[in-house]
Amino acid sequence: MTSSFKGPKPSRRQFLAGAAVIGAGAAAGARAATPDPLITEVQPWAQGLGEGVDATPYGLPIKFEQDVVRRNVPWLTADPISSINFTPIHALDGTITPQGCAFERHHSGAIELSKDDYRLMINGLVDRPLVFTYADLERFPREQHVYFCECAANTGMEWAGAQLNGAQFTHGMIHNMEYTGVPLRTLLNEAGIQTEGKWVYVEGADASSNGRSIPLEKALDDVLVAFKANGEALRKEHGYPVRLVVPGWEGNMWVKWLRRIEVTDQAVESREETSKYTDTLADGTSRKWTWVMDAKSVVTSPSPQAPIKHGTGPLVITGLAWSGHGKITRVDVSIDGGKTWQEARLASESGNKALARFYLDINWDGSEMLLQSRAMDETGYVQPTKKQLREVRGLNSVYHNNCIQTWHVKSNGEAENVEVS
Amino acid sequence: MTSSFKGPKPSRRQFLAGAAVIGAGAAAGARAATPDPLITEVQPWAQGLGEGVDATPYGLPIKFEQDVVRRNVPWLTADPISSINFTPIHALDGTITPQGCAFERHHSGAIELSKDDYRLMINGLVDRPLVFTYADLERFPREQHVYFCECAANTGMEWAGAQLNGAQFTHGMIHNMEYTGVPLRTLLNEAGIQTEGKWVYVEGADASSNGRSIPLEKALDDVLVAFKANGEALRKEHGYPVRLVVPGWEGNMWVKWLRRIEVTDQAVESREETSKYTDTLADGTSRKWTWVMDAKSVVTSPSPQAPIKHGTGPLVITGLAWSGHGKITRVDVSIDGGKTWQEARLASESGNKALARFYLDINWDGSEMLLQSRAMDETGYVQPTKKQLREVRGLNSVYHNNCIQTWHVKSNGEAENVEVS
């Protein structure tokens, strides 16, 4: 077998005018004009030995990716124990979020609770109050589903106008994992729900307890008592050993370190569902309730933290879309601030209440862009503009903002968070 | 709202006879006889504050899970640089494998190669030899798919009889991730394949180069030049920044640190596809070629590393199934060494060339079991017994063993790797 190095031959197939042609003269592009030592010389990593298989029993990302981490916003997260950080969605692709960089929100910090010390109580309006150990839970039939989890406050700062300069910060209170667990209905049926039971009140084992009321209809539908995420045990910061998964509903209801489920005849109206996580409307009254996260999307690249560095020509525009009502059926992308739209390509058929990845492949001429994306879900709901949302809900809320996001991409490839009227 | 603690009330709904009943007397079971301080007393983790959101910008598993790691087998992996470790599949659930505990196989160790230093050459029988930078690759239209990657030597030691006592070691040279990348056909079309081109020869940037020949038909079908796995960058040990993904085919062809793709008119017949990764048959000749990983399955729990600890009663039997030919359509489980079979439940519709998770929920009476699973794929192929395989392929090979595995589960819940005739 011999290598067949040849000179350039113009081809209509050529996609990247800038891709180097081996052995080409200056006419074929600047990069091809001088030999590239990364091609022509044997490199150090091709001569010595690399790391062995006993080096990292559990691995971490390579050092070159050390910027792809959860980040908080100092002015927003003055108290890091009872606060939030953000998934680096600008640097990810695909749909799965690794646990290690999936956003965290705690109300009294992430606690360390062993399986041996774990207990789950079901009480209240049940025939048979029960306490389960972790080993008990492992004996019930399990299910698996990929679901997104979005904090109700995701994009919340943007109600007041464009504030946070990066998709990680405007939209990074979201993650998407494959959960394994026992359906909550299985455990509730084991306890036997009494006729008067209409709600469950769920609590965590941390000091905040983060109690929330969930209508029985949802509790008996698709709620999971989960102990695995993306194949492995939940991480400490995601509720080890057991968390609640409440598909499509706001993240605050996904109680971590799940301790107790009480069947009740009415909503408890706890702190977390009245003074917090409630939308204050223009007239000062509260919207009751806002549990489902409506259809939403965001362009993750290009974006302020992911500028275009390669100049004009082929450009991959990509982002995420999701809906708490089910599947994403369509995503449109605009490069002119919403005047005209092009249908984006979904990387695969959207899951139910799971992140979908979209792409629009364009040939960028270097003009400024006002980049937007707009999601539609299987109910026919279309993601609204911020103007449309404000008309209905006013400006008082910091929760449940699912409006269309705009990035202003400049000719030099840098991007900024802006609002278009 | 008041809690309604009540005494026990016998119910036909009761699934776990051992689950503690709140406030019950001794009659309801040993655990209920004495108050459980984990229920009745406020615990330390419910009083103090936990860890804040800036504690782990990139998180690792909780300390209680420190045994769920990649492991090698000292007598098998004398040289850890050029060797293998195993995914802890006995302790995982679901289908996604986190990169951090996904098995590694290197031929000269895992190298550290930056995106800036990365180059991919396409040469040989092409109209236009090309060199791509990492940034170039990011400009082509991307795809996403979940695929399993199995080393051809997975379960290889078992050809000679039951040897390795644990699903991690018998079947753990496998992982399953969501890949994002550019179809190889896109890059080959960019270069322009000449009429004589029938194969591609692919090489990595490490010292071993691990060169392999792939027929052009496969290269133009579903092979990906991938740069993301499970949403984030490939880890160093998985080929950062770019690896080849060859769906359904043996892991050795999934070249890491992908450096060069040469279009050739015939197979190179390199070391890695002749003296290695080739099945030596009973008569001493070699089977040519064995690329596709046939349908296979294994019970991951209970298994030697995951014994039954809870005694008799409800038991979840679970495992993994996969096929290099497409989707898994059915998995059967036997508890009597293959005399009788029960159809297991698939956790979700099987992906194409991806791991499927199966469950069989039984009521275990404490009898000894000879536990087996048997996969069937969409082509109608049924996973064979070891006896059937040996009849066809003899005993000389260490590659491509996809036979039915048997665990001997004893009355005390412990399990051992055994063969049944």
Side-chain angles (χ1 to χ4, degrees), chain B residues 282-308:
Chain B
D283 64 2
T285 63
S286 290
R287 192 175 176 220
K288 182 180 179 181
W289 310 84
T290 311
W291 297 314
V292 182
M293 303 306 290
D294 282 327
K296 186 168 169 180
S297 68
V298 65
V299 171
T300 53
S301 177
S303 66
Q305 298 163 287
I308 305 169

Coordinates of all heavy atoms in Angstrom, one line a residue, chain B residues 282-308:
Chain B
A282 N -10.7 -23.6 15.1 CA -10.2 -24.9 15.7 C -9.1 -25.5 14.8 O -8.2 -26.1 15.3 CB -11.4 -25.9 15.8
D283 N -9.2 -25.3 13.5 CA -8.2 -25.8 12.6 C -7.0 -24.9 12.4 O -6.1 -25.2 11.6 CB -8.8 -26.2 11.2 CG -9.3 -24.9 10.5 OD1 -9.1 -23.8 11.0 OD2 -9.9 -25.0 9.4
G284 N -6.9 -23.9 13.2 CA -5.7 -23.0 13.2 C -5.9 -21.9 12.1 O -5.0 -20.9 12.1
T285 N -6.8 -21.9 11.3 CA -7.0 -20.8 10.3 C -7.8 -19.7 11.0 O -8.3 -19.8 12.1 CB -7.9 -21.3 9.1 OG1 -9.2 -21.7 9.5 CG2 -7.2 -22.4 8.4
S286 N -7.7 -18.5 10.3 CA -8.3 -17.3 10.9 C -9.7 -17.0 10.2 O -9.8 -17.2 9.0 CB -7.4 -16.1 10.8 OG -6.3 -16.3 11.6
R287 N -10.6 -16.6 11.0 CA -11.9 -16.1 10.5 C -11.7 -14.7 10.0 O -11.2 -13.9 10.7 CB -12.9 -16.1 11.7 CG -14.3 -16.0 11.4 CD -15.1 -16.1 12.7 NE -16.5 -15.9 12.5 CZ -17.3 -15.2 13.3 NH1 -16.8 -14.7 14.4 NH2 -18.6 -15.1 13.1
K288 N -12.1 -14.5 8.8 CA -11.8 -13.2 8.1 C -13.1 -12.7 7.5 O -13.7 -13.3 6.6 CB -10.8 -13.4 7.1 CG -10.3 -12.1 6.3 CD -9.3 -12.5 5.3 CE -8.8 -11.2 4.5 NZ -7.8 -11.5 3.5
W289 N -13.6 -11.5 7.9 CA -13.3 -10.7 9.0 C -14.4 -10.9 10.1 O -15.5 -11.3 9.7 CB -13.2 -9.3 8.6 CG -12.4 -9.0 7.4 CD1 -12.7 -9.1 6.1 CD2 -11.0 -8.6 7.4 NE1 -11.7 -8.7 5.3 CE2 -10.6 -8.4 6.1 CE3 -10.1 -8.3 8.4 CZ2 -9.3 -8.0 5.7 CZ3 -8.8 -7.9 8.1 CH2 -8.4 -7.8 6.7
T290 N -14.1 -10.4 11.3 CA -15.2 -10.4 12.3 C -15.2 -9.0 12.8 O -14.5 -8.6 13.7 CB -14.9 -11.4 13.5 OG1 -14.5 -12.7 12.9 CG2 -16.1 -11.5 14.4
W291 N -16.1 -8.2 12.2 CA -16.1 -6.8 12.6 C -17.4 -6.5 13.5 O -17.3 -5.7 14.4 CB -16.2 -5.9 11.4 CG -15.0 -6.0 10.5 CD1 -13.7 -5.9 10.9 CD2 -15.0 -6.1 9.0 NE1 -12.9 -6.0 9.8 CE2 -13.7 -6.0 8.6 CE3 -16.0 -6.1 8.1 CZ2 -13.3 -6.1 7.3 CZ3 -15.6 -6.2 6.7 CH2 -14.3 -6.2 6.4
V292 N -18.5 -7.1 13.1 CA -19.7 -6.8 13.7 C -19.8 -7.5 15.1 O -19.5 -8.7 15.1 CB -20.9 -7.2 12.9 CG1 -22.2 -6.8 13.6 CG2 -20.9 -6.5 11.5
M293 N -20.2 -6.9 16.1 CA -20.4 -7.5 17.4 C -21.8 -8.1 17.4 O -22.8 -7.3 17.5 CB -20.2 -6.5 18.5 CG -18.8 -5.8 18.5 SD -17.4 -6.9 18.5 CE -17.5 -7.7 20.1
D294 N -21.9 -9.4 17.5 CA -23.2 -10.1 17.4 C -24.0 -9.8 18.7 O -23.5 -9.4 19.7 CB -23.0 -11.6 17.2 CG -22.7 -11.9 15.7 OD1 -23.2 -11.2 14.8 OD2 -21.9 -12.9 15.5
A295 N -25.3 -10.1 18.6 CA -26.2 -9.9 19.8 C -25.7 -10.6 21.0 O -25.3 -11.8 20.9 CB -27.6 -10.3 19.4
K296 N -25.8 -9.9 22.1 CA -25.2 -10.4 23.4 C -26.0 -9.8 24.5 O -26.6 -8.7 24.4 CB -23.8 -10.0 23.4 CG -22.9 -10.5 24.5 CD -21.5 -10.3 24.2 CE -20.5 -10.5 25.3 NZ -19.1 -10.2 25.0
S297 N -25.9 -10.4 25.7 CA -26.6 -9.9 26.9 C -25.9 -10.4 28.1 O -25.2 -11.4 28.0 CB -28.1 -10.2 26.9 OG -28.2 -11.6 27.1
V298 N -26.1 -9.8 29.2 CA -25.6 -10.3 30.5 C -26.5 -9.7 31.6 O -27.0 -8.6 31.6 CB -24.1 -9.9 30.7 CG1 -24.0 -8.4 30.9 CG2 -23.5 -10.6 32.0
V299 N -26.7 -10.6 32.6 CA -27.4 -10.1 33.9 C -26.4 -9.4 34.7 O -25.3 -10.0 35.0 CB -28.0 -11.3 34.6 CG1 -28.5 -10.8 36.0 CG2 -29.1 -11.9 33.8
T300 N -26.6 -8.1 35.0 CA -25.7 -7.3 35.8 C -26.0 -7.4 37.3 O -25.1 -7.2 38.1 CB -25.7 -5.9 35.3 OG1 -27.0 -5.4 35.3 CG2 -25.1 -5.8 33.9
S301 N -27.2 -7.7 37.6 CA -27.6 -7.8 39.0 C -28.9 -8.7 39.1 O -29.8 -8.4 38.4 CB -27.9 -6.5 39.7 OG -28.3 -6.6 41.0
P302 N -28.8 -9.7 40.0 CA -27.7 -10.2 40.8 C -26.6 -10.8 40.0 O -26.8 -11.3 38.9 CB -28.3 -11.2 41.8 CG -29.5 -11.7 41.1 CD -30.0 -10.6 40.2
S303 N -25.4 -10.6 40.5 CA -24.2 -11.2 39.9 C -23.1 -11.2 41.0 O -23.3 -10.7 42.1 CB -23.8 -10.3 38.7 OG -23.4 -9.0 39.2
P304 N -22.0 -11.8 40.7 CA -21.0 -12.0 41.8 C -20.6 -10.8 42.6 O -20.5 -10.8 43.8 CB -19.8 -12.6 41.1 CG -20.4 -13.4 39.9 CD -21.6 -12.5 39.5
Q305 N -20.5 -9.6 41.9 CA -20.2 -8.4 42.6 C -21.5 -7.7 43.2 O -21.4 -6.7 43.9 CB -19.5 -7.4 41.7 CG -18.2 -7.9 41.2 CD -17.8 -7.0 40.0 OE1 -18.3 -7.2 38.9 NE2 -16.8 -6.1 40.2
A306 N -22.7 -8.2 42.8 CA -23.9 -7.6 43.2 C -24.8 -8.7 43.8 O -25.9 -9.0 43.2 CB -24.6 -6.9 42.1
P307 N -24.5 -9.3 44.9 CA -25.3 -10.4 45.5 C -26.6 -9.9 46.0 O -26.8 -8.7 46.2 CB -24.4 -10.9 46.7 CG -23.6 -9.7 47.0 CD -23.3 -8.9 45.8
I308 N -27.5 -10.8 46.2 CA -28.8 -10.5 46.9 C -28.6 -10.4 48.4 O -28.1 -11.3 49.0 CB -29.9 -11.6 46.6 CG1 -30.0 -11.8 45.1 CG2 -31.2 -11.2 47.2 CD1 -30.8 -13.1 44.8

